[in-house]
Amino acid sequence: FFYGVVDRAVTESGRLHGAGRDQVAAWFGFDTSKDKVVNLRIATSLISLAQARHNLALELAPDDSFDKVRERAQRAWDRQLGIVTVGGASRDELTTLYSNLYRMFLYPSEAYENTGSAMQPVYRYASPFSAATGPDTPTHTGARVLAGKPYVNNGFWDTYRTAWPAYTLLEPEQAGAMIDGFVQQYRDGGWIARWSSPGYADLMVGTSADVAFADAWLKGVHNFDVRSFYQAALKDATVVSPLAGTGRKGLASSVFNDYTDTATSEGLSWSLAGYLNDFGIGNLAAALAAQPLANDPYAPHYVDDAAYFRNRALDYVNLFDPAVDFFVGRDAAGHWRVDKTGFD
């Protein structure tokens, strides 16, 4: 939902037609004969039109000008990127570093909105993780609106070995808050997305939040609900998901064969991702066994889980073909996917 205010009178308006735009796009005309500048102050909401208007009031003061907002954004990015300083780098090297940090810190995204006041915030969100409560209307979502602070817009296949270790190193407190925002997906819909855009998208392989968040805990990031996260990771590794965008594909047979066979699309990649994530789960289980959490009903199982998942992580040997010195997919009967003589 969009709410906007302009500082020039609207003199004409209409719909754009064709190319599927009839219901989604419109145009506005302004009298710019005396001043060519039209300022648009705009806010959005995933909850309602009224919330979009409320978001605008929270974000922009009546006397905020374009220059003030730009300067405020500049200061915010200077603070964020200023956590890293480098000596002896060339201008081009600094441009590369800070451009990449800028892109890294653009994501993930907050999916929650302040439905309260600036002094007494109340955070709620329109859930893309659980069933809607009714139809969407022109002014209000039909999604469940719940309390919580979820984070979205992350594809863990891309980020578990790159961005998440960097968040853990550079912004550990914020990393914990973001992790708990993804755990909110589990508390709401029963799973953490493999690819959150913002809900459960059926993209890429691996439930790689498992190893990313376990790694963060083992590196000292503890300001998230690790008990719920562990249960989410355990579910990823052991439960066949009814949703295409969650869980591990091929799991119904891979737990018996020790690998995901070629009957599952991208089976080799699902296997190797599974071993990495099992290694993370096993190490987290060992840490939770060594330092038990208070009032954790699952505590008696961590020792066994640590042994089980660490052993499962070793199953990568089943897919290493000594004839080509590389990992190769296998079918359910154990046959290698490619002809040895033609492997490149």
Side-chain angles (χ1 to χ4, degrees), residues 225-289:
D225 178 4
V226 72
R227 283 170 52 177
S228 292
F229 163 63
Y230 185 85
Q231 292 302 313
L234 186 65
K235 190 175 183 181
D236 282 340
T238 59
V239 176
V240 176
S241 174
L243 305 175
T246 61
R248 301 186 190 180
K249 295 192 176 180
L251 189 63
S253 59
S254 66
V255 292
F256 301 105
N257 293 339
D258 299 329
Y259 61 88
T260 308
D261 64 60
T262 52
T264 297
S265 178
E266 301 175 311
L268 175 64
S269 292
W270 275 106
S271 295
L272 296 177
Y275 305 141
L276 287 168
N277 285 289
D278 286 347
F279 184 68
I281 295 170
N283 284 351
L284 178 58
L288 295 175

Side-chain angles (χ1 to χ4, degrees), residues 46-47 115 124-127 133 140-147:
L46 294 170
I47 296 175
T115 62
R124 297 177 69 79
Y125 67 99
S127 175
T133 58
H140 201 283
T141 182
R144 293 174 71 204
V145 178
L146 302 172

Side-chain angles (χ1 to χ4, degrees), residues 17 31 56 98 113 120 137 139 142 153 175 221 236 267-269 319:
H17 299 290
D31 180 0
L56 183 62
Y98 290 113
E113 303 173 52
Q120 294 182 304
T137 75
T139 58
N153 292 344
V221 175
D236 282 340
L268 175 64
S269 292
L319 293 176

